[in-house]
Amino acid sequence: MNNGIIVIPTYNEIDNIEAIIEAVFALNYNLHILVVDDNSPDGTADKVKELQNKYATSLFLEQRIGKLGLGTAYVYGFSWALARNYDFVFEMDADFSHNPNDLIKLHKACLHGADLSIGSRYVTGVNVVNWPLSRVLLSYFASVYVNIITGMQIKDTTAGFVCYKKQTLQTIDLDKIRFVGYAFQIEMKYRAFCKGLKIVEVPIIFTDRTKGESKMSNSIIKEAVLGVISLRLRKFLNRL
């Protein structure tokens, strides 16, 4: 493929980071990886540095001073990728909830006209493995809520498995992104929607992590609920 990079934000992912990096490079799809680590105390960054000896030209690491939030990690990574002129920029988790094999499907969707493609858990039903029913319902109806408030028609608005064209990230204007938790995922899609960009959902099977700890919290959920209303209000006032 031409000039693609995956941004993987990490905090305490020592149990997963080596395996996910090896799995991506095993695809032989000419993808690079940028790990944005928020000063993980478990040695995640040290493991990435060790792997850079093996993947010197395709594995990159940016270390930040502390746990600054998922959204800011992605914005940092996207800006890093744009500065180096990558044509396609992916986002994915380190914990194997996103299957690396699906990166190819996301890329092909962008090659065939999508400005951004989403690895969607809900576009063909509910394709989630190892989540309790309460978590599935929370996630599914969060997207229903987002669509009602924003007017989007996206089945999986909180998805964190995405491929962006370079021009899409430039059009969205990363300097204006406000949210730091999972509301970031909604904001990125909403800004693309408001710009009239083509959004395509690609069906995937999402598998909950088996190693490490989830970063979900009540504050993240609150930010997402209130953030959607804030986004719609700012759009109404032409301040988005």
Side-chain angles (χ1 to χ4, degrees):
M1 71 172 289
N2 178 33
N3 213 13
I5 190 164
I6 308 160
V7 179
I8 303 179
T10 56
Y11 184 76
N12 285 350
E13 291 290 356
I14 190 63
D15 293 331
N16 296 303
I17 193 60
E18 180 174 10
I20 195 70
I21 289 171
E22 295 284 6
V24 169
F25 288 139
L27 295 173
N28 291 319
Y29 201 61
N30 196 28
L31 284 168
H32 292 179
I33 297 174
L34 168 65
V35 176
V36 180
D37 185 71
D38 274 6
N39 198 28
S40 298
D42 69 350
T44 298
D46 291 333
K47 175 55 68 172
V48 176
K49 290 175 183 176
E50 178 185 320
L51 290 167
Q52 284 182 308
N53 293 322
K54 181 178 180 181
Y55 302 109
T57 62
S58 52
L59 176 60
F60 307 96
L61 171 68
E62 289 290 308
Q63 292 178 268
R64 304 200 300 170
I65 60 173
K67 194 175 181 183
L68 303 176
L70 180 75
T72 64
Y74 274 128
V75 169
Y76 184 99
F78 294 163
S79 298
W80 188 98
L82 288 176
R84 289 154 181 82
N85 205 34
Y86 283 91
D87 293 324
F88 300 92
V89 184
F90 300 76
E91 61 169 89
M92 71 180 296
D93 294 340
D95 61 8
F96 281 96
S97 56
H98 304 142
N99 187 335
N101 293 326
D102 291 329
L103 290 162
I104 299 172
K105 294 195 296 184
L106 293 179
H107 175 239
K108 288 183 177 179
C110 284
L111 286 177
H112 290 93
D115 294 305
L116 68 111
S117 57
I118 301 169
S120 177
R121 296 164 287 189
Y122 307 123
V123 71
T124 57
V126 178
N127 295 310
V128 178
V129 177
N130 292 338
W131 262 7
L133 180 60
S134 59
R135 184 76 183 274
V136 174
L137 292 175
L138 175 64
S139 174
Y140 181 82
F141 284 107
S143 287
V144 173
Y145 164 76
V146 170
N147 287 331
I148 290 172
I149 299 297
T150 64
M152 293 194 295
Q153 296 298 315
I154 298 174
K155 295 293 186 181
D156 197 351
T157 59
T158 61
F161 195 21
V162 182
C163 176
Y164 298 92
K165 286 183 177 176
K166 172 178 64 177
Q167 295 86 349
T168 299
L169 293 177
Q170 292 169 334
T171 300
I172 287 173
D173 191 353
L174 297 174
D175 290 338
K176 293 183 178 180
I177 299 297
R178 295 184 56 189
F179 296 114
V180 299
Y182 283 86
F184 160 82
Q185 305 291 5
I186 301 168
E187 182 175 7
M188 290 291 289
K189 297 174 184 67
Y190 186 55
R191 287 184 178 275
F193 169 77
C194 290
K195 295 289 186 179
L197 301 179
K198 184 175 181 180
I199 302 171
V200 172
E201 291 187 85
V202 176
I204 65 162
I205 296 176
F206 177 96
T207 304
D208 194 21
R209 67 164 63 235
T210 59
K211 296 180 180 179
E213 296 182 358
S214 171
K215 311 305 188 295
M216 183 64 72
S217 68
N218 289 334
S219 62
I220 288 173
I221 295 172
K222 181 180 179 181
E223 181 199 48
V225 171
L226 298 179
V228 174
I229 298 173
S230 172
L231 285 173
R232 187 67 185 92
L233 180 61
R234 282 190 284 138
K235 172 62 176 175
F236 179 76
L237 297 173
N238 292 318
R239 295 178 181 175
L240 190 64

